[in-house]
């Protein structure tokens, strides 16, 4: 064991520094997301979810940097990443709507002007939906119509349609 630490002493120190920077960056990112969530009065569960997305992204970058620190050959990484991205590409092409809904959910976290409790009208060419926003999730938004019907509307479609605010925070009545 002592031989391992003697051989890879500088790599272990550099990896510790990278993990320390990763830890600090993910804490800062989560704090920023939580602050934005509080300022926009967004549920803490949504803020935690977006924070997890940032943590996973930072973790992949950290593992890539640690691979370089330990001397992983760039050609080997290219083979691994091209294989992984080819599989992901095929998978996501088959399920492109899942990826677009998650991306739309993140966009809605930062810039969606409507909140849970607002009554909105979605202007679709086939029909219009007038409902109360019950929940905003990663893949879809839950809308409750006046007759009690629950509609789950995909996030990506909501960002593509015109939406009108009917009543602000109808839950406070």
């Amino acid at each position: 064991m002592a031989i391992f630490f003697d051989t890879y002493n500088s790599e272990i120190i550099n990896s510790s520094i990278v993990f320390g920077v990763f830890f600090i960056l993910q804490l800062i990112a989560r704090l920023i997301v939580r602050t934005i969530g509080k300022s926009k009065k967004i549920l803490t569960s949504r803020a935690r979810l977006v924070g997890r997305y940032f943590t996973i992204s930072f973790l992949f970058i950290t593992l890539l940097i640690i691979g370089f620190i330990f001397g992983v050959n760039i050609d080997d990484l290219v083979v691994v990443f091209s294989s992984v991205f080819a599989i992901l590409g095929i998978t996501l092409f088959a399920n492109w709507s899942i990826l677009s809904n998650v991306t739309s959910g993140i966009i809605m976290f930062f810039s969606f002007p409507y909140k849970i409790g607002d009554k909105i009208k979605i202007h679709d060419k086939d029909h219009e939906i007038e409902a109360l926003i019950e929940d905003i999730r990663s893949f879809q938004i839950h809308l409750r119509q006046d007759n009690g019907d629950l509609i789950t509307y995909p996030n990506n479609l909501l960002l593509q349609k015109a939406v009108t605010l009917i009543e602000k925070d109808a839950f406070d009545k």
Side-chain angles (χ1 to χ4, degrees):
M1 192 68 154
I3 296 171
F4 175 79
F5 286 115
D6 289 339
T7 306
Y8 294 105
N9 188 26
S10 63
E11 287 87 352
I12 293 171
I13 291 171
N14 290 337
S15 296
S16 300
I17 292 170
V18 169
F19 271 120
V21 170
F22 159 73
F23 183 72
I24 291 169
L25 284 177
Q26 70 99 12
L27 283 178
I28 291 171
R30 284 184 175 219
L31 181 66
I32 290 171
V33 167
R34 194 176 307 130
T35 304
I36 290 171
K38 283 182 183 177
S39 71
K40 292 186 173 193
K41 297 178 183 173
I42 295 173
L43 290 176
T44 56
S45 60
R46 286 189 60 217
R48 271 191 244 122
L49 183 65
V50 172
R52 282 187 205 128
Y53 292 149
F54 279 105
T55 299
I56 290 170
S57 300
F58 286 145
L59 182 63
F60 281 131
I61 293 169
T62 300
L63 292 176
L64 180 67
I65 292 170
I66 288 179
F68 284 129
I69 289 172
F70 276 94
V72 174
N73 194 357
I74 292 176
D75 294 336
D76 296 337
L77 284 178
V78 168
V79 170
V80 169
F81 278 108
S82 64
S83 301
V84 168
F85 284 129
I87 292 169
L88 279 175
I90 292 168
T91 304
L92 292 177
F93 179 74
N95 295 317
W96 68 270
S97 64
I98 293 173
L99 182 62
S100 68
N101 281 324
V102 170
T103 306
S104 298
I106 294 171
I107 291 169
M108 287 171 59
F109 177 81
F110 289 107
S111 65
F112 194 57
Y114 311 112
K115 310 277 184 268
I116 293 174
D118 291 350
K119 190 168 189 176
I120 60 171
K121 180 186 265 187
I122 301 171
H123 304 280
D124 197 355
K125 68 178 182 177
D126 296 332
H127 58 280
E128 292 185 345
I129 299 171
E130 186 173 322
L132 184 74
I133 299 175
E134 263 191 12
D135 197 6
I136 303 172
R137 299 196 173 189
S138 295
F139 300 105
Q140 76 271 355
I141 186 168
H142 289 187
L143 303 169
R144 181 74 62 183
Q145 289 184 316
D146 291 335
N147 64 2
D149 290 346
L150 178 68
I151 298 173
T152 55
Y153 203 78
N155 288 339
N156 62 346
L157 290 180
L158 190 67
L159 290 180
Q160 296 173 14
K161 306 291 180 192
V163 179
T164 305
L165 178 65
I166 303 293
E167 186 177 349
K168 191 86 174 145
D169 207 5
F171 281 146
D172 280 346
K173 286 186 168 185

